Amino acid sequence: MDTNIRNFIGSLTRVLLPIVFAVATTAFISIPMALGHVPGDATVARVPADGHVS
């Protein structure tokens, strides 16, 4: 591969990777909150002692 192309891809990766990470982090937090999720309000599924789920 040409060194100019390799350098271009490396530079592009160094610029785009943090941007993609920031967008993904923001979406991971803001989308559930926009849908009404309240942080810390988790529901844990429970299985009855006999192991049968109705």
Side-chain angles (χ1 to χ4, degrees), residues 11-48:
S11 297
L12 201 61
T13 302
R14 280 191 291 276
V15 170
L16 291 181
L17 202 59
I19 293 171
V20 169
F21 182 75
V23 169
T25 303
T26 303
F28 184 76
I29 294 169
S30 65
I31 291 173
M33 291 185 78
L35 295 174
H37 173 71
V38 178
D41 189 27
T43 304
V44 179
R46 304 259 184 232
V47 177

Side-chain angles (χ1 to χ4, degrees), residues 3-16:
T3 56
N4 288 333
I5 294 173
R6 185 176 298 168
N7 288 338
F8 175 72
I9 292 173
S11 297
L12 201 61
T13 302
R14 280 191 291 276
V15 170
L16 291 181

